[in-house]
Amino acid sequence: MSPSGAAAPAGVAASADAGPSADVAADAGLPGVPAPAAELARVAASRADGALAAAAPVRLDDVVPAPERVVPDPAADFTLSADAVLRVSPAGRDVAEQLAAWLRPATGFPLPVADAPEGGPLTLTLSPAAPGPEAATGSGEPDGAALGDEGYRLDVTADGVRITAVNPAGLFHGAQTLRQLLPAPIESPTAVAARWAVPGGTIVDRPRFPYRGAMLDVARHFFGVEDVLRVVDHLARYKLNHLHLHLTDDQGWRIAVDSWPRLAEVGGATEVGGGPGGWYTRDDYRRIVAYAARRHVTVVPEIDLPGHTNAALVAYPELAPGKIGPPPYTGTEVGFSYVDPADERTYDFVADVVGEVAALTPGPWLHLGGDEAFKVPADSYRAFVARAQRLVAATGKTVVGWHQLAPAEHVDGRVLQWWGTNGDDPETADAVRRGARLILSPGNHAYLDMKYAPDTPIGHDWAGLIDVRRAYEWDPGTHVRGVPAEAVLGVEAPLWTESVSTPAEVEYMLFPRLPAVAELGWSPRETHDWSRFRSRLAGHGPRWAAAGITFHPSPEIPWPSTAPHIPTQPTPTPTPTTTP
Ligand code: TNX
């Protein structure tokens, strides 16, 4: 079995250059999985054409997620020209290089980056005294502390654009905002003749919640490194800062563990529908982590325990109750497998696995799963979780787990990921009273594996249909009864992949709902307004089309008439930038 990244069959660890027609072939004949690729409205214009170049000018308040404060100045529009230089304080150089790399292909401008914090016309300044939100309207004193770790200020005048932040993460978010303020053809991978105008005025912005994430289930269907990197780019566009990787499940074990090598070598060789699966070597995983870190995205690895472990039991029958290994599983049922909580060897396994994964992971979190262990009696489940939580804590990481962990004892800092569909959940509220914080992923709003509509060709509907409005219309601060907003760490949109098997299908389920959840995590509640959100989001259709991103052209969104451009022939998805 070859690890990920090595030549995996087309459409399985499909690299981003495998086009939709390869996807169709790969989908054909998977039991229980419709062949969706041919039916999906593929919006993947790989080349911007005249229609895109004529795209409407962007307004300063068109940004998604909505900024905290926007003060337009229509008299101060700026136009980027071929001789522009990016000037940056040294510690912000990497952000400036990324910004230049986003802008060069479509503009065709050289956009050199110079280590000099002044001089314009594009200036990125890191400053501990970056002006805070009060400064936008002229009231109050500049206050660096107010922008915090991820905030930024963006000033556009006729002479240029200045982004100011306290930290590189803030500069990065400001650079993503600037990218959105340029006309949609800026997303074209090839040069376009356009006037590169940026609307004048000031934006001062910072996030509502510190944790804003998405989850990719790489266990039900495996996705290769390049596909994951592309998802990281999607998150970063919308200021999401965590990528949760669901690395293990009944259908496959996707991360190399040196002390238990058969987990990946044997447990990684399967996936839903019978495809060959795959797994990440330590270097593959490091590459994902480093690529994400450069985009200010933290990877949260999940090792799902004690249930969802059939692949581990196939690899190591000694972990199974009764020591009899099950056959490999490639279906989509849940809740039938578990590691033996009564055997000491199980805790050696947990300690070894979480120890190795923690050592490979620079971020503070380690997700223990904990969902749907239906066959484990409540008492042994609680005792198992308490012990597993302590083993994670011993690695120095903070425990995250699905909210089924709630009844177990508290460990310092632990975070529960709530995926319920009814906000009346006394058990979770009680765990919060005992010290837990929550990540909100309500199944009936944030689950991106749910169908948009009855005719969505892939996805589930157990939590209902989730159109864009449903993804948007809830408030993380008040969603679970008895849980105060201060206990909410943030939001996460999970994408389970029982029926999602190609990168194009991943994008189809993410867009346009991912930006809706991203906005709930970032934007102040006062900006929440469905009718304004849908019109802001509409302008992103031409961007995704120009970038070759597949999306669902939801009828709720007033897409501009020149876009989405639905090609009559599927066009290949461009290879993503994979600079480490
Ligand atoms: C429930 S949400 C699960 C997953 C499935 C998902 C499908 C959760 C923690 N567990 O095992 O993939 O539903 O929507």
Side-chain angles (χ1 to χ4, degrees):
M1 175 66 236
S2 60
S4 78
V12 174
S15 68
D17 60 355
S21 47
D23 300 337
V24 173
D27 294 338
L30 294 188
V33 180
E39 301 141 56
L40 297 183
R42 296 203 177 278
V43 184
S46 59
R47 262 162 217 84
D49 53 19
L52 286 174
V58 185
R59 294 160 24 145
L60 197 69
D61 53 8
D62 279 343
V63 175
V64 177
E68 178 169 323
R69 196 162 304 187
V70 180
V71 184
D73 180 356
D77 290 1
F78 166 71
T79 302
L80 187 65
S81 56
D83 58 357
V85 175
L86 272 78
R87 307 200 186 259
V88 64
S89 337
R93 179 156 193 123
D94 191 53
V95 175
E97 293 288 2
Q98 292 185 73
L99 174 61
W102 300 333
L103 307 186
R104 283 179 192 132
T107 60
F109 301 162
L111 300 175
V113 176
D115 279 329
E118 298 300 330
L122 294 180
T123 313
L124 275 62
T125 310
L126 276 175
S127 159
E134 304 75 20
T137 52
S139 60
E141 288 302 302
D143 174 5
L147 280 182
D149 289 346
E150 296 189 282
Y152 66 92
R153 174 179 172 126
L154 182 145
D155 292 291
V156 183
T157 66
D159 297 331
V161 179
R162 174 187 296 274
I163 306 172
T164 317
V166 180
N167 288 320
L171 273 192
F172 183 81
H173 296 317
Q176 291 284 10
T177 293
L178 173 58
R179 190 183 189 186
Q180 287 189 21
L181 291 174
L182 284 153
I186 196 66
E187 298 293 343
S188 168
T190 54
V192 178
R195 197 169 87 81
W196 301 110
V198 182
T202 295
I203 290 177
V204 188
D205 201 9
R206 59 185 168 175
R208 179 179 180 196
F209 294 108
Y211 187 107
R212 307 172 306 279
M215 186 204 80
L216 183 64
D217 170 8
V218 295
R220 268 51 178 274
H221 279 101
F222 180 64
F223 294 88
V225 172
E226 297 294 325
D227 301 339
V228 176
L229 304 188
R230 191 169 159 95
V231 169
V232 170
D233 285 333
H234 299 335
L235 268 53
R237 275 176 188 275
Y238 293 100
K239 303 186 173 75
L240 294 166
N241 62 358
H242 287 83
L243 173 67
H244 167 185
L245 288 175
H246 182 74
L247 289 167
T248 67
D249 214 304
D250 294 318
Q251 299 86 348
W253 184 285
R254 308 300 180 203
I255 177 102
V257 176
D258 284 354
S259 51
W260 296 70
R262 289 170 56 83
L263 288 170
E265 287 164 9
V266 175
T270 44
E271 66 180 355
V272 166
W279 46 280
Y280 307 122
T281 63
R282 296 161 75 87
D283 280 347
D284 288 340
Y285 181 78
R286 285 193 190 101
R287 201 172 144 222
I288 293 170
V289 165
Y291 185 94
R294 196 175 169 217
R295 288 146 188 86
H296 301 278
V297 171
T298 300
V299 170
V300 182
E302 178 185 351
I303 305 298
D304 201 350
L305 296 166
H308 290 273
T309 39
N310 199 79
L313 305 181
V314 173
Y316 289 100
E318 65 197 271
L319 299 172
K323 317 275 170 254
I324 299 172
Y329 185 69
T330 58
T332 60
E333 296 298 315
V334 296
F336 55 90
S337 61
Y338 60 101
V339 289
D340 187 356
D343 191 320
E344 276 307 302
R345 190 76 181 127
T346 294
Y347 300 93
D348 295 341
F349 158 78
V350 175
D352 290 344
V353 170
V354 300
E356 287 197 32
V357 173
L360 281 177
T361 303
W365 317 108
L366 204 150
H367 199 304
L368 258 186
D371 57 318
E372 299 172 324
F374 298 143
K375 296 252 172 92
V376 184
D379 287 355
S380 1
Y381 175 84
R382 270 201 306 277
F384 172 87
V385 166
R387 216 166 145 183
Q389 289 183 154
R390 286 197 296 273
L391 291 171
V392 169
T395 69
K397 300 296 180 193
T398 299
V399 174
V400 189
W402 300 107
H403 73 265
Q404 279 69 33
L405 297 193
E409 72 189 32
H410 182 68
V411 285
D412 215 21
R414 83 171 175 155
V415 174
L416 303 179
Q417 183 169 6
W418 190 83
W419 59 284
T421 54
N422 173 359
D424 198 0
D425 180 348
E427 218 167 50
T428 296
D430 178 61
V432 168
R433 274 190 292 278
R434 290 184 286 123
R437 289 170 297 167
L438 286 196
I439 293 169
L440 287 175
S441 304
N444 50 350
H445 292 282
Y447 262 38
L448 300 188
D449 61 321
M450 294 301 129
K451 292 172 182 282
Y452 291 91
D455 61 353
T456 305
I458 49 176
H460 297 132
D461 60 6
W462 65 259
L465 301 171
I466 302 184
D467 58 15
V468 185
R469 184 164 194 170
R470 193 157 185 84
Y472 182 72
E473 293 283 23
W474 58 287
D475 179 2
T478 57
H479 197 74
V480 181
R481 194 157 313 149
V483 172
E486 308 77 68
V488 174
L489 198 59
V491 300
E492 188 179 293
L495 181 60
W496 301 99
T497 60
E498 286 95 331
S499 69
V500 176
S501 59
T502 68
E505 290 169 7
V506 167
E507 290 177 354
Y508 185 80
M509 299 309 261
L510 295 186
F511 292 101
R513 295 179 294 192
L514 183 71
V517 179
E519 177 144 324
L520 297 182
W522 179 279
S523 306
R525 190 63 191 168
E526 305 81 76
T527 63
H528 191 88
D529 179 329
W530 164 246
S531 108
R532 297 201 53 240
F533 176 70
R534 67 195 271 274
S535 59
R536 275 185 287 119
L537 191 62
H540 289 240
R543 287 174 193 280
W544 301 330
I549 297 172
T550 301
F551 67 100
H552 170 58
S554 308
E556 316 153 78
I557 308 299
W559 308 109
S561 55
T562 53
H565 168 56
I566 302 175
T568 47
Q569 292 295 316
T571 47
T573 311
T575 308
T577 314
T578 57
T579 343

